[in-house]
Amino acid sequence: MPFLGQDWRSPGWSWIKTEDGWKRFEYFSHNLGDNINELGLEELDNDNMENVYMGDVCEVAAKKRKKDFFNNNTKSQFLFQERWIYVQKESTRERHGYCTLGEAFNRLDFSSAIQDVRRFNYVVKLLQLIAKSQLTSLSGAAQKNYFNVLEKIVKKVLDDHQNPRLIKALLHDLSSTLCILIREVGKSVLVGNINIWVCRLETILIWQQQLNNLQIPKQVSNGTTLSDLPLLMQNNILYKFTDACDIINLGKATPALHVLSEDRQLWKKLCQFHFAEKQFCRHLILSEKGHVDWKLMFFTLQKYYPQREQYGDTLQFCRHCSILFWNDSGHPCTANDPDSCLTPVSPQHFIDLFKF
């Protein structure tokens, strides 16, 4: 049950020292100025008493408006961001309680992580997994923080025109989940008023419309472009790609890139990167000439097996200290060889850490 009254831990009244002893300091009006120390409580007349009463009423109303604003505004975020957190799964004599998914999401600095190009895809994938299965397990503060981070991601994509396809997939999964939760309200647990969730769904639909209408301006450059490079260098660039959609989209740029994007060896390397050799034998696809159609086989394999995930930077988990932290922030480890205790944490592993 929330505590709606004045906090009992407040510092209390202000007091001033007078010739007759200590007396309570009250704000009467702005016209009194610095002479307030010279007035006693017995000198108040009816008009001043009315001003005191009206001042108290206005002060209480202002506090209530401020509280409602912070409670209802999803952009407000009063969370202490930490460099690392201790992942506690059970109560001990020294520590009581445990760390939840929402608490970890609040305390780790994901808002700043999306500004780092190495961590952007990592955060987006984590938000997508939370949207699919863990949204109802978040607390009210964690849900506010979730949508606050999501809003920053959408704004970043609309400003720099990068990674719109990832955000479209994230918003699609999130809107589908919210539609199911709102339609089945009463059967599922939703933290907060149903109208808040309806407003969030409407905001997501607006974001989707903005991304669909996003027009990426054509960049005019007088310097060297990708098409000016030798074909061997262009081919080496394509071999660095791990996303099939990126290869196909790049192949639409020029006829030369289209020929390079259809290379059988390129798609073979992509299949070997994402899938195991045993999975090839189960879904072997041959072309009319009797060769393996690696491109078609890749899109067939991704229907049955998950693709290998690769991120520029991830969270790290210390098995010795049970501490979760960003790679560049470090943590106070007591192990003799701290590097041997570190484990990279994928987005799915991050969620699994808090399944008790």
Side-chain angles (χ1 to χ4, degrees):
M1 185 68 184
F3 183 77
L4 301 179
Q6 188 175 4
D7 193 349
W8 60 272
R9 297 165 295 182
S10 62
W13 297 101
S14 298
W15 296 82
I16 58 174
K17 188 176 182 180
T18 64
E19 296 179 356
D20 299 331
W22 289 91
K23 293 186 179 181
R24 195 174 71 188
F25 179 78
E26 298 185 15
Y27 297 92
F28 301 137
S29 65
H30 299 288
N31 298 328
L32 295 179
D34 298 333
N35 297 327
I36 192 162
N37 293 335
E38 302 176 2
L39 296 177
L41 295 178
E42 65 274 8
E43 299 178 10
L44 294 176
D45 54 11
N46 293 334
D47 293 338
N48 285 333
M49 289 297 295
E50 182 178 356
N51 291 336
V52 172
Y53 174 75
M54 293 300 296
D56 291 341
V57 172
C58 293
E59 184 179 0
V60 172
K63 288 182 178 179
K64 186 177 185 301
R65 286 196 302 269
K66 187 176 181 181
K67 181 179 180 181
D68 292 341
F69 173 79
F70 289 139
N71 286 340
N72 297 327
N73 187 13
T74 57
K75 297 180 182 179
S76 62
Q77 185 179 14
F78 297 95
L79 301 170
F80 180 73
Q81 305 293 341
E82 299 182 12
R83 299 173 59 187
W84 52 267
I85 61 171
Y86 177 75
V87 181
Q88 183 175 349
K89 297 187 176 182
E90 59 184 5
S91 297
T92 62
R93 183 176 299 178
E94 295 80 11
R95 292 175 176 266
H96 294 280
Y98 53 90
C99 184
T100 62
L101 175 63
E103 183 181 356
F105 188 80
N106 286 340
R107 292 168 61 186
L108 291 172
D109 193 4
F110 287 99
S111 297
S112 300
I114 62 176
Q115 304 300 330
D116 192 337
V117 66
R118 301 171 303 167
R119 301 174 180 174
F120 183 84
N121 291 2
Y122 182 87
V123 178
V124 171
K125 182 62 176 181
L126 177 60
L127 293 181
Q128 189 173 13
L129 293 178
I130 293 177
K132 289 182 178 180
S133 60
Q134 302 296 322
L135 192 61
T136 56
S137 65
L138 299 181
S139 63
Q143 290 175 2
K144 279 187 178 182
N145 189 31
Y146 179 92
F147 284 96
N148 183 38
V149 174
L150 179 60
E151 182 179 6
K152 293 181 179 180
I153 290 177
V154 175
K155 186 177 184 304
K156 176 178 172 60
V157 172
L158 293 175
D159 291 340
D160 57 21
H161 306 111
Q162 296 182 8
N163 300 307
R165 180 168 52 86
L166 295 177
I167 312 306
K168 288 181 181 180
L170 168 60
L171 294 179
H172 177 267
D173 293 338
L174 182 58
S175 60
S176 301
T177 302
L178 287 183
C179 288
I180 296 175
L181 293 176
I182 293 174
R183 187 166 57 248
E184 297 182 358
V185 62
K187 299 180 181 179
S188 59
V189 179
L190 282 176
V191 178
N193 192 289
I194 184 63
N195 295 325
I196 296 178
W197 289 96
V198 173
C199 291
R200 287 172 176 171
L201 179 58
E202 292 175 352
T203 303
I204 293 172
L205 296 178
I206 294 175
W207 289 341
Q208 288 179 318
Q209 187 66 29
Q210 291 176 346
L211 291 173
N212 292 332
N213 297 332
L214 181 63
Q215 297 292 334
I216 301 178
K218 183 178 181 180
Q219 297 182 357
V220 179
S221 177
N222 296 327
T224 303
T225 62
L226 181 63
S227 302
D228 298 330
L229 298 177
L231 292 179
L232 180 60
M233 296 184 64
Q234 296 183 33
N235 192 45
N236 291 336
I237 292 175
L238 282 173
Y239 269 79
K240 300 296 182 181
F241 283 28
T242 60
D243 193 319
C245 293
D246 292 338
I247 295 177
I248 294 176
N249 292 332
L250 186 59
K252 298 177 181 179
T254 62
L257 288 173
H258 175 72
V259 174
L260 295 177
S261 65
E262 296 293 330
D263 183 23
R264 291 180 60 254
Q265 293 298 322
L266 173 64
W267 288 99
K268 180 180 180 180
K269 290 287 185 181
L270 196 64
C271 289
Q272 293 174 345
F273 176 81
H274 286 285
F275 308 106
E277 187 174 353
K278 293 182 179 179
Q279 299 168 348
F280 296 165
C281 301
R282 298 177 183 177
H283 304 277
L284 193 62
I285 300 177
L286 300 178
S287 63
E288 296 179 354
K289 298 181 180 180
H291 302 296
V292 178
D293 192 340
W294 291 104
K295 181 179 180 180
L296 183 59
M297 194 164 74
F298 174 85
F299 289 103
T300 303
L301 289 172
Q302 73 171 1
K303 297 179 181 178
Y304 299 97
Y305 309 104
Q307 298 183 37
R308 178 181 174 184
E309 297 180 0
Q310 187 179 33
Y311 304 100
D313 191 15
T314 65
L315 287 168
Q316 300 287 327
F317 180 72
C318 180
R319 300 185 301 273
H320 177 78
C321 306
S322 296
I323 286 180
L324 191 64
F325 62 98
W326 286 110
N327 195 24
D328 58 352
S329 63
H331 76 289
C333 186
T334 59
N336 295 329
D337 187 7
D339 294 337
S340 62
C341 303
L342 300 183
T343 301
V345 179
S346 65
Q348 185 60 53
H349 186 201
F350 179 86
I351 294 177
D352 295 338
L353 280 175
F354 306 98
K355 288 184 178 180
F356 308 115

